Amino acid sequence: DTEVTQTPKHLVMGMTNKKSLKCEQHMGHRAMYWYKQKAKKPPELMFVYSYEKLSINESVPSRFSPECPNSSLLNLHLHALQPEDSALYLCASSPRDHSGNTIYFGEGSWLTVV
Amino acid sequence: AQSVTQLDSQVPVFEEAPVELRCNYSSSVSVYLFWYVQYPNQGLQLLLKYLSGSTLVKGINGFEAEFNKSQTSFHLRKPSVHISDTAEYFCAVTDNNNDMRFGAGTRLTVKP
């Protein structure tokens, strides 16, 4: 079972709102990721958590704030976003066991900032 | 740092024809290579991966890819495509640093 679950599937928020995207996996994976994907573009890495610690931050603006409460959960807190932040946000996980780091993706959360 | 280049942004083919989607990589260290498929309005699904061993890798939905170290390529092939294979295909590369990088993608359109 290779399942990464993301909620909500769709989110519309104003530029002054605070919202969160949630991600969950129960595969025992120890690395979790947030990617951002604009239309007709490849996914771009935002954050990587390895063993619940932030290991990669790809110079993402502070209006995006990741959180990893435990090894199964990953959140992305959103505040004061801009319309250009509208995109598909993909969560992913991998075993982090030097097995080639196969990354498994969720279905994504479609974010629209108005 | 590693990177991948997908040489074709769009590939139109007729149903039941063979197809090859091209991917070249660059890296100074050993890499692992992947192909993902993304159907409209969905997330990414792993098609196949090369980690080590046999250079010919078979994946789901009848796809296969061949790792060629001398040409730094990892082309994806299918001998006979179906309408349902219409999707965006991404080649990706990673090393042991949890840092997966994607190519720009190839839009495969299968026509009846």
Side-chain angles (χ1 to χ4, degrees), chain B residues 27-65:
Chain B
S27 177
S28 58
V29 298
S30 296
V31 295
Y32 308 106
L33 293 157
F34 306 80
W35 276 99
Y36 287 86
V37 60
Q38 187 174 33
Y39 298 103
N41 301 318
Q42 293 189 24
L44 277 72
Q45 181 180 5
L46 180 67
L47 272 179
L48 50 77
K49 59 187 177 184
Y50 173 77
L51 306 180
S52 64
S54 174
T55 56
L56 183 63
V57 180
K58 293 189 183 298
I60 62 171
N61 302 341
F63 285 93
E64 63 180 33

Side-chain angles (χ1 to χ4, degrees), chain A residues 90-110:
Chain A
L90 293 163
C91 177
S93 69
S94 70
R96 190 63 175 97
D97 59 0
H98 299 286
S99 63
N101 288 328
T102 302
I103 294 181
Y104 300 94
F105 286 84
E107 291 293 313
S109 293
W110 291 92

